Amino acid sequence: ILNVEQSPQSLHVQEGDSTNFTCSFPSSNFYALHWYRWETAKSPEALFVMTLNGDEKKKGRISATLNTKEGYSYLYIKGSQPEDSATYLCAFVSNTGNQFYFGTGTSLTVIP
Amino acid sequence: DGGITQSPKYLFRKEGQNVTLSCEQNLNHDAMYWYRQDPGQGLRLIYYSQIVNDFQKGDIAEGYSVSREKKESFPLTVTSAQKNPTAFYLCASSIMGQGVSEQFFGPGTRLTVL
């Protein structure tokens, strides 16, 4: 079982603050890295799929970077809004199979 | 509306009983997955299926069984052999069973063993 770690475990920020969190994964056998947002009482929804070292993805105020050589990805949220409150999951996929290995998530609360 | 449905939302089972969790998708996706979530842990894969009539074990398949007789359905049976079945179960699907295909998730079933 591969180890995927996310930090911090939880985060409280004020509305308007920018924030970022980390996903760490094995630096060998990389195939893909996924980010999901999981709001309370809803289903997880895909944010980004990242496949290349140095990849950067952006969707509105949310962006992500990828470093496969050192085994980490950052998720950034600029100008946090209350609707950004959710748990953010990352999932690592190795090139030895198609299984997703999920981290435990970062729980973000944006205080109005 | 296209999506994934899981039923029931809450399920209670007596120890020693088998129980089947339903998962249906109308997205025409080839691949389907079952995950389990426990407090403080990430989603862990139980079983997955890339095509009809074929499925593979994930990391925690012991005590579970699945079938994939139809493309749109992937039921999970929690058997009495599963030692700690109380958990939140999520079903997902993707266009193809490849690591770059995003997964679409259902709303989940919370199983409690009494």
Side-chain angles (χ1 to χ4, degrees):
Chain A
I1 297 179
L2 299 175
N3 192 34
V4 179
E5 295 183 352
Q6 291 188 248
S7 62
Q9 188 173 357
S10 66
L11 199 52
H12 290 73
V13 301
Q14 294 289 331
E15 183 176 352
D17 286 351
S18 294
T19 187
N20 66 87
F21 13 98
T22 306
C23 173
S24 300
F25 51 84
S27 56
S28 58
N29 300 320
F30 177 86
Y31 187 65
L33 192 284
H34 294 248
W35 281 100
Y36 287 83
R37 175 167 58 199
W38 193 356
E39 295 179 66
T40 302
K42 294 188 177 180
S43 306
E45 292 183 341
L47 285 172
F48 304 116
V49 180
M50 310 181 81
T51 57
L52 297 175
N53 185 42
D55 230 358
E56 291 189 22
K57 301 279 188 181
K58 187 174 181 182
K59 186 183 290 187
R61 294 178 292 97
I62 303 178
S63 61
T65 61
L66 179 68
N67 184 325
T68 60
K69 296 185 178 183
E70 296 183 41
Y72 65 84
S73 175
Y74 294 140
L75 191 78
Y76 299 92
I77 302 179
K78 185 177 178 182
S80 302
Q81 299 297 308
E83 57 265 30
D84 296 328
S85 296
T87 295
Y88 291 83
L89 302 175
C90 67
F92 168 81
V93 186
S94 89
N95 58 15
T96 59
N98 293 314
Q99 184 170 333
F100 282 42
Y101 293 91
F102 282 87
T104 52
T106 293
S107 174
L108 173 68
T109 303
V110 181
I111 304 163
Chain B
D1 284 336
I4 301 177
T5 57
Q6 291 185 243
S7 61
K9 189 173 182 180
Y10 298 97
L11 190 55
F12 297 89
R13 183 194 101 175
K14 289 184 180 178
E15 211 168 322
Q17 288 180 335
N18 291 355
V19 64
T20 297
L21 282 58
S22 167
C23 178
E24 304 276 332
Q25 54 99 358
N26 60 4
L27 300 168
N28 200 32
H29 285 174
D30 286 318
M32 296 187 74
Y33 311 81
W34 273 106
Y35 292 94
R36 168 182 172 140
Q37 188 192 37
D38 294 283
Q41 297 199 42
L43 300 178
R44 292 183 293 165
L45 183 67
I46 305 171
Y47 268 99
Y48 66 102
S49 168
Q50 295 184 305
I51 55 172
V52 173
N53 292 322
D54 186 47
F55 46 83
Q56 288 80 41
K57 293 181 179 180
D59 291 327
I60 56 166
E62 186 175 348
Y64 299 98
S65 66
V66 293
S67 63
R68 187 89 185 275
E69 297 176 2
K70 298 185 297 182
K71 188 175 185 178
E72 41 297 354
S73 178
F74 191 40
L76 174 75
T77 297
V78 185
T79 74
S80 56
Q82 168 49 233
K83 297 189 187 314
N84 295 298
T86 294
F88 184 67
Y89 291 86
L90 271 174
C91 178
S93 70
S94 62
I95 292 175
M96 293 183 289
Q98 295 179 346
V100 294
S101 297
E102 67 179 77
Q103 295 188 3
F104 293 77
F105 288 85
T109 292
R110 186 166 297 281
L111 173 64
T112 303
V113 174
L114 304 172

